[in-house]
Amino acid sequence: MKSFSGVPRKNAVFFVAVLLLSISPLLVSAQEVGRIEYLDGIVDIHRGGEIVELFPSDIGFSLEALDTIQTGPDGTVQFSISTQKRRGTSVSVGNNTTFLVEASLDPGGTKTRIEVFTGSLSLKVARLTGREELSVRTESAVMGVRGTEFEVITAPDGGVLVLCEDGSVSCQDQNQREMIAVPGTGVEKVPGQSISSVNVDPEEYGDFRQKWRETRMEIFRSGAPVFFRAYIQQFRRTEPRFSEAYAELEGFDTRLKDYARRSSEGPSSIGSGELYRFRAEISPSLARMRSIIPLYRQTYFRLAELLRYYQESGIAGDEVIDGVKVSNFFRNFQQSLRGERLRIARVENWFKLYRGLGGEGQESLMDEFFGPGEGSLLDEF
């Protein structure tokens, strides 16, 4: 049996997310940062450079750093994320959602970021201390929280809606304009417009959310050629750079895994000089990948979402972009879905293994991994 992405099911114990990573020379993959609380339907995860499907029997198993989760049309999942001392933040993930979570721990405190590529999720955030930070980032907005209950909904046209049930959420767009979401006042960011507030009675959140999604979907359908053109052209610009950086890192795969294994066995298993030389050798290739992976990954997952809508409607199939019909592009893109997801999964694993080497490997990949936050590609149109 296969998952929604075409990846074979496996009886494996895997899942998503990260929070408040405890840095040590041990492999990051061994560190628990949360646990699954509920799981239903098709849910895939990037773990250890592979893609596996989760099952209801995986409830209660641990979450790891730099895991990426993707839910199918019927997939839902809920998990808790925790600090070293407590667990109190719960995340519920809707269907057709893809996201990655990254965290760092340093003397100044802890930082956690959730990167939402597609779909929606809701969070119940425990009251954070002054040394803790939690943020949620989409393609066009960043939400910062302390202790609150809120949800983030994205639309295929690049729109983002934030609704707050309790507390408050600071929302910023790519130009650092800020709006605050509180109960009764949501925040919206749509392509081509500045971030803005929307008044809505909390008791009417359900109806408002549904109407908002329907409106954004109608806008997407009416402007499908523009949306397809933007992301297809972006994919064509970024894919060669990603492939070049991927090929470089692939050349280090065997040695990186060997060093990571030896490093996890203890300090005496590998000389500090030998490890230093290897880190110096691989660092330029990692830097090149860091410069392209945030944009490429965002573009890829958005195109995978657009492919689903294209298959449902066939809209703009005859549109020609740079000499190629949209229908032909999506046919080829669909054939490469599994291969591209595996490549992204392997890149995430390479970063995870590198961080587990200690020394330079302890540094946070957060800023590079999440990119510049330049806003929706559709703001240019």
Side-chain angles (χ1 to χ4, degrees):
M1 185 176 294
K2 294 185 178 181
S3 69
F4 71 94
S5 64
V7 180
R9 290 179 178 239
K10 297 182 180 179
N11 287 319
V13 178
F14 289 139
F15 186 57
V16 56
V18 329
L19 185 65
L20 310 181
L21 177 62
S22 175
I23 302 297
S24 75
L26 298 179
L27 283 176
V28 176
S29 59
Q31 297 171 339
E32 179 181 317
V33 294
R35 286 185 178 272
I36 305 169
E37 296 179 344
Y38 175 81
L39 173 66
D40 187 39
I42 294 176
V43 182
D44 284 355
I45 183 173
H46 292 186
R47 169 70 66 83
E50 297 181 351
I51 303 170
V52 296
E53 186 172 349
L54 306 177
F55 297 87
S57 59
D58 293 326
I59 291 174
F61 288 100
S62 63
L63 321 178
E64 298 181 5
L66 291 180
D67 285 346
T68 293
I69 187 172
Q70 187 169 21
T71 62
D74 65 344
T76 57
V77 70
Q78 182 175 323
F79 62 92
S80 61
I81 50 181
S82 59
T83 67
Q84 292 174 308
K85 297 182 179 180
R86 61 190 173 90
R87 176 176 292 120
T89 295
S90 178
V91 182
S92 298
V93 184
N95 54 42
N96 292 317
T97 297
T98 305
F99 70 97
L100 175 147
V101 187
E102 160 69 319
S104 69
L105 174 63
D106 57 48
T110 59
K111 296 181 181 180
T112 304
R113 297 183 187 176
I114 301 177
E115 178 85 347
V116 183
F117 305 115
T118 65
S120 63
L121 51 80
S122 61
L123 298 89
K124 293 182 179 180
V125 183
R127 183 65 58 180
L128 304 180
T129 70
R131 291 168 50 86
E132 298 174 318
E133 294 182 16
L134 172 64
S135 62
V136 179
R137 174 171 289 180
T138 71
E139 183 179 19
S140 58
V142 178
M143 285 62 71
V145 304
R146 282 290 176 195
T148 185
E149 182 176 346
F150 71 105
E151 60 181 319
V152 178
I153 304 108
T154 70
D157 73 329
V160 179
L161 176 67
V162 180
L163 296 175
C164 186
E165 295 278 355
D166 181 61
S168 64
V169 183
S170 170
C171 307
Q172 289 188 343
D173 64 14
Q174 68 271 25
N175 295 317
Q176 307 303 310
R177 288 184 289 261
E178 182 182 30
M179 303 293 295
I180 306 297
V182 296
T185 303
V187 172
E188 178 186 47
K189 175 66 180 77
V190 298
Q193 298 182 23
S194 298
I195 195 170
S196 61
S197 62
V198 290
N199 295 324
V200 52
D201 188 329
E203 295 183 359
E204 298 177 357
Y205 275 177
D207 291 339
F208 184 86
R209 186 190 307 111
Q210 180 178 347
K211 291 178 181 178
W212 186 86
R213 283 172 166 159
E214 291 173 352
T215 298
R216 302 319 308 174
M217 180 58 70
E218 193 61 35
I219 291 173
F220 166 74
R221 291 193 182 100
S222 63
V226 173
F227 299 117
F228 290 163
R229 178 177 297 275
Y231 286 100
I232 288 174
Q233 290 181 334
Q234 184 76 291
F235 180 79
R236 286 176 170 167
R237 287 193 295 267
T238 57
E239 196 280 332
R241 289 179 56 197
F242 173 79
S243 292
E244 182 178 356
Y246 181 89
E248 284 189 26
L249 281 176
E250 192 173 29
F252 290 98
D253 179 74
T254 300
R255 294 168 62 198
L256 178 58
K257 290 177 179 177
D258 180 61
Y259 278 116
R261 177 187 58 78
R262 292 163 61 190
S263 180
S264 69
E265 294 173 352
S268 62
S269 64
I270 183 171
S272 59
E274 182 183 2
L275 193 57
Y276 176 83
R277 287 189 295 272
F278 176 72
R279 289 201 303 263
E281 186 179 353
I282 193 176
S283 288
S285 297
L286 287 168
R288 277 187 281 275
M289 179 57 77
R290 286 179 185 177
S291 71
I292 188 60
I293 183 63
L295 182 57
Y296 178 75
R297 184 175 46 206
Q298 175 70 65
T299 304
Y300 168 80
F301 285 125
R302 285 303 307 278
L303 271 175
E305 180 184 43
L306 296 184
L307 168 64
R308 178 166 54 85
Y309 289 118
Y310 169 75
Q311 291 174 327
E312 292 174 354
S313 65
I315 52 179
D318 292 330
E319 181 77 11
V320 177
I321 299 176
D322 297 337
V324 178
K325 281 187 175 183
V326 167
S327 58
N328 292 335
F329 172 84
F330 277 128
R331 181 168 56 251
N332 293 331
F333 184 80
Q334 182 179 17
Q335 293 173 351
S336 69
L337 277 178
R338 182 176 185 275
E340 287 306 295
R341 285 193 66 203
L342 281 171
R343 290 209 299 174
I344 292 172
R346 287 165 183 156
V347 169
E348 291 162 354
N349 191 53
W350 287 332
F351 276 104
K352 181 184 291 188
L353 293 177
Y354 176 75
R355 176 188 278 180
L357 295 181
E360 287 183 43
Q362 293 179 357
E363 67 187 4
S364 171
L365 304 175
M366 188 173 294
D367 292 337
E368 298 89 344
F369 228 76
F370 283 87
E374 295 178 351
S376 172
L377 181 61
L378 276 305
D379 282 331
E380 303 175 9
F381 288 79

